[in-house]
Structures are given as C-alpha cells and as structure tokens.
Amino acid sequence: AHNWQRQVQQQQHLWQLSLSSQQQQQQQQQHFRQQSCRGFSWRATRSIDNPTLPPEIAELIAQSSVNNAVRPPVAPLLPRPMQFESRRAGAIAVKAGMMQDWDEFGARVPLTVLWIDECTVVRYKHQQRDGVTSLVLGASAKRPKQLHPRQLGEFVAAGVTPKRKLWECKVSEDALLPVGTVIGASHFKAGQYLDVTGVTKGKGFAGVMKRWGFAGQNATHGNTKHHRAPGSIGGRTDPGKVWKGKKMPGHLGCERVTFKNIWVYRVDPARNLLFVRGQVPGPQGSFVYIRDAFRWQWAGRQAAQLPFPTYIGDALPESEVARSDRQDPYRVYREDVGYFETDWKG
C-alpha cells in the first residue's frame, strides 16, 4: 500500500511540474511576441500556432511609428538638375550577343549588345516608410497565367503588365520615378560608364588549373599522374587544419559578379539597344542589371549631361556614337619609331 501511495504522489508531482513548465513556456512566448512586435509589421508577429492577433499586441502595433508612417508621394516627372549626391535609376537589360566595330582611329572595338526590353517602374520605396529609398523595376512581359495570383495582384495594383524579371534598385530621393515610368536606352548617354551585374556562365566542376589558374606540377622528373593536382593543402600539426578560403577544385561559374566602369560606345533609342565595350557576365539571352558607374568622377558625370531623373519627351533622340576615350593606337608608333614618314604618306 505504501508503494502504491508513493507512486501516486510521484505521478501527481510530475504532472504539476509539467503544468508549470507549460505555463512558463506560454508566458515566455507571449512576452517574446510583445517585445518583437515593436517597430515591425503585424505580419511578423503571427505564427502557425496562433494565427489570430492578440488585442494587446494589436494595440502595440497601432502605436508603432513604422506602421503609422505614410509613404510620401513621388515628385512630378519633370527635368531637374542632378546634384553631387544624386543617384539615378538603373535598368534591366538582356544580353543579346557580341559584335565589333571600328572607331575613328581605325581600331577594332569589341562590343556587347544589351537590349532593354520594356523596363518599367513597378513600385517605389521611401526611407520614411520602408527604411530604404529604391525603385522596383520589371522587364520583359510575361503571361498572366504563368504567375501566382498573389504575384499577379502586385502588377494589377500598379497598373503595369506582368514582368518576367524584377530588380530593386537603390536611388536617391530626388531620382524617384512614378509607377509606370518606362526606362529605355535614352536613359543613358554614349560615352558614359556603367556597372553591369550578372550571373556568370556555369562551367561545372573544375580543377585548380582552370578554376584558379594554377601552373600545375612538373611534366616529368618522377611525376606520375599528378600533373594537374593542386599539391599540398595544409600545414603540419600546427595549424592542423585547412584554412577557410583555400583555393581547391570545385564548382566554377554561376556567381553574381559586377563588371565596373564599362564604356558605352553607342546608344540606339529607337531599338532600345546599348553597345558597350568588352564583355559582360552571363550567357547570351540572360538578364543583366546596368546602372551608372559608382566610381565615375563627378566631372565626367557633369560633362556627359545625363538626363535626370530620366529621359522625358515624346520624340526619341537620334542614335549617337561616342568618340573614343583612348588615344590613337597608331600615334605613338608613328612618332616614336618614325616608320610612317610624313613625306612618304604624302
């Protein structure tokens, strides 16, 4: 009988402990929700186990300054002077391929053709309401049935056609554009510099010689089947490990990279084409993100007379080709060596 009573007492004690622990967990969860809702939207406080919003949390959210903040309207789309701190909007382009042309010196210029396909402002954000000043751009049309209804609702509310690619581009407050504004090739000028961001081509699994440019090991002198091997990858007992970031074989490509200070050779507003010098990341047909070069000097920005905040006008400007930003490649050869004499050329 005593053993039975002890067992009952132990079970009652364990049951009381479990109840107290559950009550403590509920109090901690409620306290965490009350603390985490300050300064955040009400969606961050909802959970699967508690889909409804408690009244005390709703009151705290109602008093939050973030939710009461109103997004200021965008200024009318009018030409205005660009300031030193101004940061224009970029654009989403499609890499169409490569070609070549010859400049005024007769030197060949390798060019990459970028096509701006219906780049439109879908949404804008403001520092006062969203904590960041930026534009959400969309490019390339997409059929409505290919989108989820929730995704389609964003485009319907903005009054723009569904887009295949979206990109949030940070801008200054004076460079905000109204929703529905179309950004074309006329947004850029021939002779300016761009920063182009894209995803590089995927090369699959590659060794150290292809991935990192290692020289490899000896071809002979006792080397057997280790001509392209990386060699030693670590030390001895100290440090006793392989350091993070060690260059080793692995997946090559499929990385988001930015090519900086790419020179614009030609702008064709009628066909929304940009011809830039050199290569840009990504395969043919991929999307790239272009914007004014971050390290472009202010004197160059002023001299280029970029349209700010964007090109405004019904008639498109004519196609323009920039003069080379480099010296004549044959001039040094003629003057220093003197092979092509002036009297010989006639």
Side-chain angles (χ1 to χ4, degrees), residues 239-264:
K241 63 177 182 180
V242 178
W243 295 100
K244 291 184 179 180
K246 177 65 178 175
K247 296 180 179 179
M248 298 180 66
H251 191 275
L252 176 60
C254 290
E255 296 180 348
R256 185 187 177 96
V257 297
T258 301
F259 287 11
K260 300 180 180 180
N261 299 328
I262 295 182
W263 184 64
V264 180

Side-chain angles (χ1 to χ4, degrees), residues 267-278:
V267 177
D268 189 353
R271 296 185 293 175
N272 273 337
L273 297 178
L274 295 178
F275 299 82
V276 299
R277 181 174 58 194

Side-chain angles (χ1 to χ4, degrees), residues 107-280:
R108 188 181 67 89
V109 182
L111 300 174
T112 300
V113 184
L114 303 179
W115 175 40
I116 303 178
D117 182 21
E118 300 179 1
C119 185
T120 312
V121 178
V122 178
R123 186 173 67 252
Y124 76 93
K125 297 182 180 181
H126 197 276
Q127 179 71 29
Q128 182 177 344
R129 176 61 177 84
D130 306 289
V132 64
T133 302
S134 62
L135 294 173
V136 178
L137 306 177
S140 296
K142 195 173 185 178
R143 288 183 292 179
K145 73 174 188 178
Q146 295 178 326
L147 293 173
H148 193 276
R150 295 179 181 177
Q151 297 174 336
L152 184 62
E154 180 179 359
F155 298 104
V156 174
V160 299
T161 57
K163 300 298 180 180
R164 184 172 299 275
K165 196 69 173 180
L166 295 177
W167 176 45
E168 182 174 348
C169 175
K170 290 185 179 181
V171 297
S172 57
E173 187 173 352
D174 58 348
L176 285 174
L177 300 174
V179 175
T181 304
V182 179
I183 299 177
S186 55
H187 183 73
F188 303 96
K189 284 278 190 177
Q192 76 166 104
Y193 292 88
L194 300 175
D195 288 344
V196 182
T197 303
V199 180
T200 59
K201 295 181 180 180
K203 303 293 184 179
F205 191 91
V208 292
M209 294 183 68
K210 182 176 181 179
R211 191 183 185 192
W212 303 109
F214 282 18
Q217 300 187 25
N218 294 336
T220 57
H221 297 285
N223 192 357
T224 305
K225 297 183 180 179
H226 284 77
H227 307 287
R228 303 178 65 90
S232 176
I233 62 173
R236 302 177 66 178
T237 305
D238 183 18
K241 63 177 182 180
V242 178
W243 295 100
K244 291 184 179 180
K246 177 65 178 175
K247 296 180 179 179
M248 298 180 66
H251 191 275
L252 176 60
C254 290
E255 296 180 348
R256 185 187 177 96
V257 297
T258 301
F259 287 11
K260 300 180 180 180
N261 299 328
I262 295 182
W263 184 64
V264 180
Y265 173 75
R266 179 185 174 188
V267 177
D268 189 353
R271 296 185 293 175
N272 273 337
L273 297 178
L274 295 178
F275 299 82
V276 299
R277 181 174 58 194
Q279 72 276 17
V280 299

